[in-house]
Structure formats: C-alpha cells, structure tokens
Amino acid sequence: MIYQRTIAKDVKVTGIGLHSGKKVTMKLIPAEADFGIQFVRTDIPHSKPMKANALTVGTTENATTLGSGAEAVHTVEHLLGTLYGLGINNVFIEIDGPEVPIMDGSGASFVFLLKETGLKNLNKSKKFLVILDKVRVEKDDKWAEFTPNSNLAIESTIVFPHPVIKTQHFDFEFSCENFINNIARARTFGFARDVDYLKRKGLIKGGSLDNAIVLDEFKVMNPEGLRFDNEFVRHKILDTIGDVSLLGYEIAGKITTYKSGHNIHNLLCRKLLETPSAYEIVSASALTQEVREAHKLPQFITVSH
Ligand SMILES: [Zn+2]
C-alpha cells in the first residue's frame, strides 16, 4: 500500500516575496486524505481557501499565480515542487500576503523545513495520474509534451544566448532522493540587463543575490558561484514539477520540454485535462496486475518516497 502523505504538525515560515518584495508568513497545517494542497489568504477578511489546481492558475508571467485579483497567491511553483518532491499530497497553507516567500530562490529551505517538521502517512491510498497517450503543446519554437512512462521522468532543454548557460540538457528520473540531491537546491536566475525593466513593471522588488543567480553579460555575479554547472536547467525541472503538480496527482509519465516556461507548462496541463483519453486516474491500491493489463498501464510504478 502506498499511502497519501501530509506533514506531522503545523509549521511556520517567514520570508519575502521575490516580485512583491513584501514580508510574508506562511503556516503549513496537516490535512486529511484527498484534501489536496489548499491556500488561504489570512490577510484578507473572509477569503476563501483556493485549491492548487492547473485550472485555477491565473497569470504565468515570471512566476505561477493561483487565482486572480486581490486574493491571488503568486510564485507558488518552488513550494509546490518541493511538496511533490517529498510526496506530500495534502496540506493547508495559510499565507498573510500575496506571494510565497522566495527563500534562497530554490526549494532547499522548504526541504529542510518539511523534513524537520516530519511527514505523516494517512490511511488512504495515493492516486496516480497515468499518462496513456502523447499530449503536446507548442508556442513559437518552445514546446512540451507528456508521453507514457512508468514513473515521472522529465527531460528538459533550455537555450539562452549567454556564455554561462548556452544550451543545457538534463534527464531526471523522479525519486524523492533524486529530487532532494539534484533538483531542490537549484536556484532561480535572471539577467542584470533585465533588472530595470522588470522593476518598472513592478516585478522582482525583493530580488537580490541572496535569492537568485544573477548574470551580467559574461558571468555569474553571485560571489559564491553556482551550486551545479547546469544549475539553470535543474531549476527549470523544479519549476516543471511545481507546475505539473497542479494536476493534483502524482504522475506516471514522461515530460519532455524545450525552452519551456510556466506558461507552456500550464498549457500542457490544460491540454491534458481536455484530452480524457490521454490519461487515467488510478488509486495505488487498485494497481493490481489485472487492472494494469486491462488498462494497458505500465507494469510498475516506482515510488521510492
Ligand atoms: Zn523557478
């Protein structure tokens, strides 16, 4: 039996929003099975909880936003990616501002926090979204696709005309351990030449060398350098996991991306949901040999967390 998971107890975290620059405190609270991940804005009276779901995504410019208008929650992707990475399916998140704190620009602080808090198995089977058929979205020269695979795998390629990045490629096979060791610590990044433009648009007000890799024309400006040579594409995989976790299930399928971003990831999720023949939701407890054969499901689903 592969059980759904929540956290062992309440935990609080405080930080600043990357784009808003505002200080925010989040409280993560254990939740029952099938609750999913839900956010509520405690700074807004009578605000209703909002389920983390691909169809509730508002804007995807520079970050993934849940909802729209005054009650939206911005920059959810690194927290959601980390919850997925640790196999946490259910948690209630109170947040007293418009944006999830950026921490160090990666998922590392959330991994530390959640492991310290402890995880708790719930008495109900996990559910998997099993990809049965290829689904692809394209926009200009960018694209992303789902194809069948027995476990979540992500093959990502990014291309930036910058001497430190150029073309980077990473092939990631999901396991909790692999996520923690190879993906969670990869930071978000930006270019010094874009700083003025983004600030004029009201973005990255909280951005600094403490919460992003910043590149000038030739090199990384952060004095500590990079955590991995290909930290940039590894971060793209953290973003991808966060964005596809909004499907609401653990995924058995491969995602291949080329020059993708939050917008393409969300379009891919929406197209999948519009294509019922391309996926199936299966309870881990129902994954008997007969069910696998009847539905042509993968022969095994690796879950190592
Ligand atoms: Zn990111």
Side-chain angles (χ1 to χ4, degrees):
M1 181 80 157
I2 302 162
Y3 293 104
Q4 292 187 37
R5 195 174 267 181
T6 187
I7 50 176
K9 58 180 192 290
D10 294 1
V11 63
K12 269 188 185 174
V13 58
T14 298
I16 59 159
L18 173 65
H19 294 299
S20 61
K22 287 186 179 153
K23 187 178 157 192
V24 60
T25 297
M26 277 193 317
K27 185 174 174 191
L28 279 65
I29 302 167
E32 63 203 31
D34 297 328
F35 181 86
I37 311 293
Q38 297 190 30
F39 289 85
V40 69
R41 287 278 301 273
T42 53
D43 56 324
I44 298 176
H46 314 299
S47 183
K48 288 197 182 72
M50 184 165 47
K51 195 152 188 166
N53 180 293
L55 300 178
T56 61
V57 168
T59 64
T60 48
E61 196 184 5
N62 297 99
T64 296
T65 294
L66 286 182
S68 56
E71 294 188 30
V73 180
H74 302 273
T75 322
V76 294
E77 59 270 18
H78 305 158
L79 174 63
L80 293 183
T82 305
L83 291 169
Y84 187 103
L86 299 185
I88 298 168
N89 317 98
N90 306 291
V91 66
F92 187 52
I93 302 167
E94 293 179 352
I95 183 164
D96 69 354
E99 192 177 17
V100 171
I102 189 66
M103 312 311 286
D104 71 345
S106 78
S109 305
F110 297 132
V111 169
F112 179 77
L113 181 83
L114 293 164
K115 285 179 92 176
E116 284 292 300
T117 304
L119 309 182
K120 184 183 162 198
N121 283 345
L122 296 162
N123 195 21
K124 195 153 184 191
S125 175
K126 274 189 199 273
K127 289 179 184 140
F128 290 90
L129 187 154
V130 181
I131 303 291
L132 302 174
D133 211 353
K134 177 170 155 174
V135 169
R136 180 181 170 102
V137 291
E138 296 176 19
K139 205 172 177 188
D140 306 321
D141 63 341
K142 307 168 168 69
W143 57 266
E145 65 184 27
F146 279 118
T147 47
N149 197 51
S150 55
N151 184 20
L152 174 63
I154 303 176
E155 188 179 341
S156 197
T157 304
I158 59 170
V159 181
F160 285 87
H162 187 284
V164 178
I165 310 180
K166 295 182 276 198
T167 297
Q168 295 193 352
H169 181 90
F170 200 79
D171 227 338
F172 172 69
E173 176 86 24
F174 183 81
S175 72
C176 182
E177 196 181 3
N178 207 3
F179 173 81
I180 292 170
N181 292 337
N182 290 301
I183 302 299
R185 295 174 58 237
R187 291 163 295 172
T188 191
F189 57 95
F191 299 93
R193 63 169 183 263
D194 296 336
V195 166
D196 287 345
Y197 169 75
L198 291 168
K199 285 201 166 153
R200 274 202 304 278
K201 285 181 74 179
L203 297 168
I204 66 159
K205 287 179 191 162
S208 78
L209 294 175
D210 292 330
N211 54 34
I213 306 166
V214 183
L215 297 136
D216 67 15
E217 292 305 308
F218 306 104
K219 64 180 192 308
V220 171
M221 295 171 72
N222 306 55
E224 74 281 10
L226 295 174
R227 293 176 178 175
F228 306 95
D229 287 348
N230 55 1
E231 188 168 353
F232 307 94
V233 70
R234 290 175 192 245
H235 185 80
K236 184 63 70 182
I237 290 175
L238 174 62
D239 282 343
T240 307
I241 295 171
D243 288 341
V244 300
S245 78
L246 287 160
L247 288 165
Y249 301 96
E250 297 196 19
I251 297 163
K254 177 167 181 176
I255 306 165
T256 311
T257 70
Y258 180 78
K259 295 176 77 171
S260 69
H262 300 301
N263 180 249
I264 294 269
H265 302 158
N266 189 245
L267 290 174
L268 182 66
C269 291
R270 286 174 189 260
K271 184 158 180 192
L272 179 74
L273 296 174
E274 287 164 7
T275 318
S277 60
Y279 72 93
E280 183 135 31
I281 308 298
V282 181
S283 170
S285 62
L287 283 172
T288 60
Q289 191 59 25
E290 294 76 29
V291 170
R292 288 172 204 270
E293 283 170 11
H295 296 265
K296 295 193 173 59
L297 296 179
Q299 282 305 301
F300 66 93
I301 290 179
T302 315
V303 179
S304 52
H305 51 254

Short mmCIF file of all heavy atoms in Angstrom, two decimals, residues 170-215:
data_model
loop_
_atom_site.label_atom_id
_atom_site.label_comp_id
_atom_site.label_asym_id
_atom_site.label_seq_id
_atom_site.Cartn_x
_atom_site.Cartn_y
_atom_site.Cartn_z
N PHE A 170 18.97 18.20 -19.26
CA PHE A 170 19.02 17.35 -18.06
C PHE A 170 17.91 16.31 -18.14
O PHE A 170 16.78 16.61 -18.52
CB PHE A 170 18.83 18.21 -16.80
CG PHE A 170 19.33 17.55 -15.54
CD1 PHE A 170 20.68 17.54 -15.24
CD2 PHE A 170 18.45 16.93 -14.66
CE1 PHE A 170 21.16 16.94 -14.07
CE2 PHE A 170 18.91 16.33 -13.50
CZ PHE A 170 20.27 16.34 -13.20
N ASP A 171 18.28 15.10 -17.80
CA ASP A 171 17.37 13.96 -17.82
C ASP A 171 17.13 13.54 -16.38
O ASP A 171 18.07 13.09 -15.72
CB ASP A 171 18.11 12.82 -18.55
CG ASP A 171 17.23 12.17 -19.58
OD1 ASP A 171 16.01 12.29 -19.47
OD2 ASP A 171 17.79 11.53 -20.48
N PHE A 172 15.92 13.70 -15.91
CA PHE A 172 15.64 13.47 -14.49
C PHE A 172 14.61 12.36 -14.32
O PHE A 172 13.55 12.40 -14.92
CB PHE A 172 15.11 14.77 -13.87
CG PHE A 172 14.62 14.63 -12.46
CD1 PHE A 172 15.50 14.39 -11.43
CD2 PHE A 172 13.27 14.75 -12.16
CE1 PHE A 172 15.06 14.27 -10.12
CE2 PHE A 172 12.81 14.64 -10.86
CZ PHE A 172 13.70 14.39 -9.84
N GLU A 173 14.97 11.38 -13.52
CA GLU A 173 14.05 10.28 -13.19
C GLU A 173 13.61 10.53 -11.74
O GLU A 173 14.45 10.59 -10.85
CB GLU A 173 14.79 8.95 -13.33
CG GLU A 173 13.99 7.74 -12.95
CD GLU A 173 13.13 7.20 -14.09
OE1 GLU A 173 13.46 7.45 -15.26
OE2 GLU A 173 12.12 6.54 -13.80
N PHE A 174 12.31 10.65 -11.53
CA PHE A 174 11.86 11.05 -10.20
C PHE A 174 12.04 9.98 -9.14
O PHE A 174 11.64 8.84 -9.30
CB PHE A 174 10.38 11.46 -10.21
CG PHE A 174 9.94 11.94 -8.85
CD1 PHE A 174 10.21 13.23 -8.46
CD2 PHE A 174 9.33 11.08 -7.95
CE1 PHE A 174 9.87 13.67 -7.19
CE2 PHE A 174 8.98 11.52 -6.68
CZ PHE A 174 9.24 12.82 -6.30
N SER A 175 12.66 10.38 -8.06
CA SER A 175 12.53 9.71 -6.77
C SER A 175 12.74 10.83 -5.76
O SER A 175 13.34 11.87 -6.08
CB SER A 175 13.58 8.61 -6.57
OG SER A 175 14.85 9.17 -6.37
N CYS A 176 12.28 10.62 -4.55
CA CYS A 176 12.41 11.65 -3.54
C CYS A 176 13.89 12.01 -3.33
O CYS A 176 14.28 13.18 -3.28
CB CYS A 176 11.80 11.12 -2.25
SG CYS A 176 11.84 12.28 -0.93
N GLU A 177 14.72 10.98 -3.26
CA GLU A 177 16.14 11.19 -3.03
C GLU A 177 16.79 11.95 -4.19
O GLU A 177 17.58 12.88 -3.98
CB GLU A 177 16.79 9.81 -2.87
CG GLU A 177 18.14 9.85 -2.26
CD GLU A 177 18.73 8.45 -2.17
OE1 GLU A 177 18.10 7.46 -2.62
OE2 GLU A 177 19.85 8.36 -1.65
N ASN A 178 16.45 11.56 -5.40
CA ASN A 178 17.00 12.21 -6.59
C ASN A 178 16.55 13.68 -6.64
O ASN A 178 17.32 14.57 -7.01
CB ASN A 178 16.51 11.45 -7.83
CG ASN A 178 17.47 11.60 -8.99
OD1 ASN A 178 18.52 12.22 -8.88
ND2 ASN A 178 17.09 11.05 -10.12
N PHE A 179 15.30 13.92 -6.25
CA PHE A 179 14.78 15.29 -6.20
C PHE A 179 15.60 16.13 -5.20
O PHE A 179 16.06 17.23 -5.52
CB PHE A 179 13.30 15.29 -5.81
CG PHE A 179 12.77 16.68 -5.58
CD1 PHE A 179 12.38 17.48 -6.65
CD2 PHE A 179 12.67 17.20 -4.29
CE1 PHE A 179 11.94 18.78 -6.44
CE2 PHE A 179 12.22 18.50 -4.08
CZ PHE A 179 11.85 19.29 -5.16
N ILE A 180 15.78 15.59 -3.99
CA ILE A 180 16.49 16.36 -2.96
C ILE A 180 17.94 16.62 -3.37
O ILE A 180 18.46 17.72 -3.21
CB ILE A 180 16.42 15.62 -1.60
CG1 ILE A 180 14.98 15.63 -1.08
CG2 ILE A 180 17.37 16.24 -0.59
CD1 ILE A 180 14.75 14.73 0.12
N ASN A 181 18.58 15.59 -3.93
CA ASN A 181 20.01 15.72 -4.24
C ASN A 181 20.30 16.55 -5.48
O ASN A 181 21.33 17.21 -5.57
CB ASN A 181 20.64 14.33 -4.42
CG ASN A 181 20.67 13.56 -3.11
OD1 ASN A 181 20.64 14.16 -2.04
ND2 ASN A 181 20.69 12.24 -3.20
N ASN A 182 19.41 16.48 -6.47
CA ASN A 182 19.76 17.04 -7.79
C ASN A 182 18.92 18.21 -8.26
O ASN A 182 19.32 18.91 -9.19
CB ASN A 182 19.69 15.94 -8.85
CG ASN A 182 20.81 14.94 -8.67
OD1 ASN A 182 21.98 15.32 -8.71
ND2 ASN A 182 20.46 13.69 -8.43
N ILE A 183 17.75 18.41 -7.66
CA ILE A 183 16.83 19.43 -8.19
C ILE A 183 16.51 20.51 -7.15
O ILE A 183 16.51 21.70 -7.47
CB ILE A 183 15.52 18.76 -8.66
CG1 ILE A 183 15.82 17.69 -9.74
CG2 ILE A 183 14.52 19.80 -9.16
CD1 ILE A 183 16.48 18.21 -11.00
N ALA A 184 16.22 20.11 -5.93
CA ALA A 184 15.67 21.04 -4.94
C ALA A 184 16.57 22.26 -4.71
O ALA A 184 16.08 23.36 -4.47
CB ALA A 184 15.42 20.32 -3.61
N ARG A 185 17.89 22.07 -4.79
CA ARG A 185 18.82 23.17 -4.46
C ARG A 185 19.07 24.14 -5.61
O ARG A 185 19.78 25.14 -5.43
CB ARG A 185 20.15 22.58 -3.99
CG ARG A 185 20.04 21.81 -2.68
CD ARG A 185 21.36 21.12 -2.33
NE ARG A 185 22.45 22.08 -2.23
CZ ARG A 185 23.57 22.01 -2.95
NH1 ARG A 185 23.76 21.03 -3.81
NH2 ARG A 185 24.50 22.93 -2.80
N ALA A 186 18.56 23.84 -6.78
CA ALA A 186 18.83 24.70 -7.94
C ALA A 186 18.02 25.99 -7.86
O ALA A 186 16.80 25.96 -7.72
CB ALA A 186 18.53 23.93 -9.23
N ARG A 187 18.71 27.11 -7.96
CA ARG A 187 18.06 28.42 -7.76
C ARG A 187 17.50 29.02 -9.05
O ARG A 187 17.99 28.75 -10.15
CB ARG A 187 19.08 29.43 -7.18
CG ARG A 187 19.50 29.15 -5.77
CD ARG A 187 20.77 29.90 -5.42
NE ARG A 187 21.90 29.42 -6.25
CZ ARG A 187 23.09 29.99 -6.28
NH1 ARG A 187 23.33 31.08 -5.57
NH2 ARG A 187 24.05 29.47 -7.03
N THR A 188 16.54 29.89 -8.87
CA THR A 188 16.02 30.68 -9.98
C THR A 188 17.12 31.63 -10.47
O THR A 188 18.11 31.86 -9.78
CB THR A 188 14.76 31.45 -9.54
OG1 THR A 188 14.13 32.01 -10.69
CG2 THR A 188 15.08 32.58 -8.56
N PHE A 189 16.95 32.16 -11.68
CA PHE A 189 18.02 33.02 -12.21
C PHE A 189 17.44 34.16 -13.05
O PHE A 189 16.30 34.11 -13.50
CB PHE A 189 19.00 32.19 -13.05
CG PHE A 189 18.38 31.43 -14.20
CD1 PHE A 189 18.36 31.97 -15.48
CD2 PHE A 189 17.82 30.19 -13.99
CE1 PHE A 189 17.79 31.27 -16.54
CE2 PHE A 189 17.24 29.47 -15.04
CZ PHE A 189 17.23 30.02 -16.31
N GLY A 190 18.26 35.19 -13.21
CA GLY A 190 17.85 36.34 -14.00
C GLY A 190 19.06 37.08 -14.53
O GLY A 190 20.20 36.78 -14.14
N PHE A 191 18.80 38.02 -15.41
CA PHE A 191 19.89 38.75 -16.07
C PHE A 191 19.90 40.20 -15.57
O PHE A 191 18.85 40.86 -15.52
CB PHE A 191 19.70 38.71 -17.58
CG PHE A 191 19.72 37.31 -18.12
CD1 PHE A 191 18.54 36.60 -18.29
CD2 PHE A 191 20.92 36.68 -18.41
CE1 PHE A 191 18.55 35.29 -18.75
CE2 PHE A 191 20.94 35.37 -18.87
CZ PHE A 191 19.75 34.67 -19.05
N ALA A 192 21.09 40.70 -15.24
CA ALA A 192 21.21 42.07 -14.73
C ALA A 192 20.62 43.08 -15.72
O ALA A 192 20.01 44.06 -15.31
CB ALA A 192 22.68 42.39 -14.46
N ARG A 193 20.74 42.79 -17.02
CA ARG A 193 20.24 43.75 -18.03
C ARG A 193 18.71 43.89 -17.98
O ARG A 193 18.17 44.88 -18.48
CB ARG A 193 20.68 43.32 -19.44
CG ARG A 193 20.12 41.98 -19.88
CD ARG A 193 20.35 41.71 -21.36
NE ARG A 193 19.73 40.45 -21.74
CZ ARG A 193 20.37 39.29 -21.82
NH1 ARG A 193 21.66 39.22 -21.59
NH2 ARG A 193 19.72 38.18 -22.15
N ASP A 194 18.01 42.89 -17.39
CA ASP A 194 16.55 42.95 -17.32
C ASP A 194 16.03 43.60 -16.04
O ASP A 194 14.83 43.80 -15.89
CB ASP A 194 15.96 41.53 -17.39
CG ASP A 194 16.26 40.84 -18.70
OD1 ASP A 194 16.49 41.56 -19.70
OD2 ASP A 194 16.28 39.60 -18.73
N VAL A 195 16.94 43.88 -15.09
CA VAL A 195 16.50 44.29 -13.75
C VAL A 195 15.67 45.57 -13.81
O VAL A 195 14.58 45.64 -13.24
CB VAL A 195 17.72 44.45 -12.79
CG1 VAL A 195 17.33 45.19 -11.53
CG2 VAL A 195 18.27 43.07 -12.43
N ASP A 196 16.15 46.59 -14.54
CA ASP A 196 15.42 47.86 -14.58
C ASP A 196 14.03 47.67 -15.19
O ASP A 196 13.04 48.18 -14.67
CB ASP A 196 16.20 48.91 -15.39
CG ASP A 196 17.40 49.41 -14.62
OD1 ASP A 196 17.44 49.16 -13.39
OD2 ASP A 196 18.29 50.02 -15.24
N TYR A 197 13.99 46.94 -16.30
CA TYR A 197 12.73 46.69 -16.99
C TYR A 197 11.72 45.97 -16.08
O TYR A 197 10.57 46.38 -15.95
CB TYR A 197 13.00 45.86 -18.25
CG TYR A 197 11.78 45.31 -18.91
CD1 TYR A 197 10.94 46.14 -19.66
CD2 TYR A 197 11.45 43.95 -18.81
CE1 TYR A 197 9.80 45.63 -20.26
CE2 TYR A 197 10.32 43.44 -19.41
CZ TYR A 197 9.50 44.27 -20.13
OH TYR A 197 8.37 43.78 -20.72
N LEU A 198 12.19 44.93 -15.40
CA LEU A 198 11.29 44.16 -14.52
C LEU A 198 10.84 45.00 -13.33
O LEU A 198 9.68 44.94 -12.92
CB LEU A 198 11.99 42.87 -14.04
CG LEU A 198 12.21 41.82 -15.14
CD1 LEU A 198 13.15 40.72 -14.66
CD2 LEU A 198 10.89 41.21 -15.61
N LYS A 199 11.75 45.82 -12.79
CA LYS A 199 11.37 46.67 -11.64
C LYS A 199 10.33 47.70 -12.07
O LYS A 199 9.39 47.99 -11.33
CB LYS A 199 12.60 47.33 -11.02
CG LYS A 199 13.40 46.31 -10.21
CD LYS A 199 14.31 46.92 -9.18
CE LYS A 199 14.77 45.82 -8.21
NZ LYS A 199 16.04 46.03 -7.58
N ARG A 200 10.48 48.23 -13.29
CA ARG A 200 9.48 49.20 -13.79
C ARG A 200 8.11 48.54 -13.91
O ARG A 200 7.08 49.19 -13.79
CB ARG A 200 9.91 49.75 -15.16
CG ARG A 200 10.84 50.96 -15.06
CD ARG A 200 10.81 51.79 -16.34
NE ARG A 200 11.13 51.03 -17.53
CZ ARG A 200 12.37 50.75 -17.94
NH1 ARG A 200 13.40 51.17 -17.25
NH2 ARG A 200 12.56 50.04 -19.04
N LYS A 201 8.11 47.23 -14.21
CA LYS A 201 6.84 46.50 -14.31
C LYS A 201 6.31 46.08 -12.94
O LYS A 201 5.30 45.37 -12.85
CB LYS A 201 7.03 45.24 -15.17
CG LYS A 201 7.14 45.56 -16.65
CD LYS A 201 7.31 44.30 -17.47
CE LYS A 201 6.01 43.52 -17.58
NZ LYS A 201 6.16 42.30 -18.39
N GLY A 202 6.99 46.46 -11.88
CA GLY A 202 6.54 46.12 -10.53
C GLY A 202 6.97 44.72 -10.10
O GLY A 202 6.47 44.18 -9.12
N LEU A 203 7.92 44.12 -10.84
CA LEU A 203 8.38 42.77 -10.52
C LEU A 203 9.75 42.83 -9.82
O LEU A 203 10.38 43.89 -9.77
CB LEU A 203 8.48 41.93 -11.79
CG LEU A 203 7.16 41.70 -12.53
CD1 LEU A 203 7.41 41.13 -13.92
CD2 LEU A 203 6.27 40.75 -11.74
N ILE A 204 10.17 41.70 -9.31
CA ILE A 204 11.45 41.45 -8.61
C ILE A 204 11.85 42.54 -7.60
O ILE A 204 13.02 42.78 -7.40
CB ILE A 204 12.62 41.13 -9.59
CG1 ILE A 204 12.99 42.33 -10.48
CG2 ILE A 204 12.32 39.91 -10.45
CD1 ILE A 204 14.42 42.21 -11.05
N LYS A 205 10.85 43.11 -6.94
CA LYS A 205 11.17 44.13 -5.92
C LYS A 205 11.96 43.52 -4.76
O LYS A 205 12.67 44.23 -4.05
CB LYS A 205 9.88 44.76 -5.37
CG LYS A 205 9.20 45.70 -6.35
CD LYS A 205 7.93 46.24 -5.72
CE LYS A 205 7.08 46.96 -6.73
NZ LYS A 205 5.70 47.11 -6.26
N GLY A 206 11.78 42.21 -4.54
CA GLY A 206 12.51 41.56 -3.45
C GLY A 206 13.74 40.81 -3.94
O GLY A 206 14.39 40.11 -3.17
N GLY A 207 14.06 40.95 -5.22
CA GLY A 207 15.16 40.17 -5.80
C GLY A 207 16.53 40.66 -5.34
O GLY A 207 16.76 41.85 -5.20
N SER A 208 17.44 39.71 -5.08
CA SER A 208 18.81 40.07 -4.71
C SER A 208 19.71 38.86 -4.98
O SER A 208 19.22 37.79 -5.33
CB SER A 208 18.90 40.46 -3.24
OG SER A 208 18.89 39.30 -2.44
N LEU A 209 20.99 39.04 -4.78
CA LEU A 209 21.92 37.91 -4.96
C LEU A 209 21.71 36.84 -3.90
O LEU A 209 22.26 35.76 -4.00
CB LEU A 209 23.37 38.42 -4.91
CG LEU A 209 23.79 39.37 -6.06
CD1 LEU A 209 25.21 39.89 -5.82
CD2 LEU A 209 23.72 38.67 -7.41
N ASP A 210 20.89 37.14 -2.88
CA ASP A 210 20.58 36.13 -1.85
C ASP A 210 19.47 35.18 -2.27
O ASP A 210 19.27 34.13 -1.64
CB ASP A 210 20.13 36.81 -0.54
CG ASP A 210 21.26 37.57 0.10
OD1 ASP A 210 22.43 37.16 -0.08
OD2 ASP A 210 20.97 38.58 0.77
N ASN A 211 18.71 35.54 -3.31
CA ASN A 211 17.59 34.67 -3.67
C ASN A 211 17.48 34.40 -5.17
O ASN A 211 16.44 33.95 -5.64
CB ASN A 211 16.27 35.21 -3.11
CG ASN A 211 16.02 36.64 -3.50
OD1 ASN A 211 16.39 37.05 -4.59
ND2 ASN A 211 15.37 37.40 -2.62
N ALA A 212 18.55 34.65 -5.92
CA ALA A 212 18.56 34.33 -7.35
C ALA A 212 20.00 34.32 -7.85
O ALA A 212 20.86 35.01 -7.29
CB ALA A 212 17.76 35.37 -8.14
N ILE A 213 20.24 33.54 -8.89
CA ILE A 213 21.50 33.66 -9.61
C ILE A 213 21.31 34.86 -10.55
O ILE A 213 20.31 34.93 -11.26
CB ILE A 213 21.79 32.42 -10.47
CG1 ILE A 213 21.74 31.14 -9.63
CG2 ILE A 213 23.12 32.55 -11.18
CD1 ILE A 213 21.68 29.87 -10.50
N VAL A 214 22.23 35.80 -10.51
CA VAL A 214 22.13 36.95 -11.42
C VAL A 214 23.34 36.93 -12.34
O VAL A 214 24.49 36.74 -11.90
CB VAL A 214 22.05 38.28 -10.64
CG1 VAL A 214 21.87 39.44 -11.61
CG2 VAL A 214 20.90 38.26 -9.64
N LEU A 215 23.08 37.10 -13.64
CA LEU A 215 24.14 37.06 -14.64
C LEU A 215 24.32 38.44 -15.27
O LEU A 215 23.32 39.09 -15.63
CB LEU A 215 23.77 36.07 -15.75
CG LEU A 215 23.63 34.62 -15.28
CD1 LEU A 215 22.41 33.98 -15.87
CD2 LEU A 215 24.87 33.84 -15.61
#
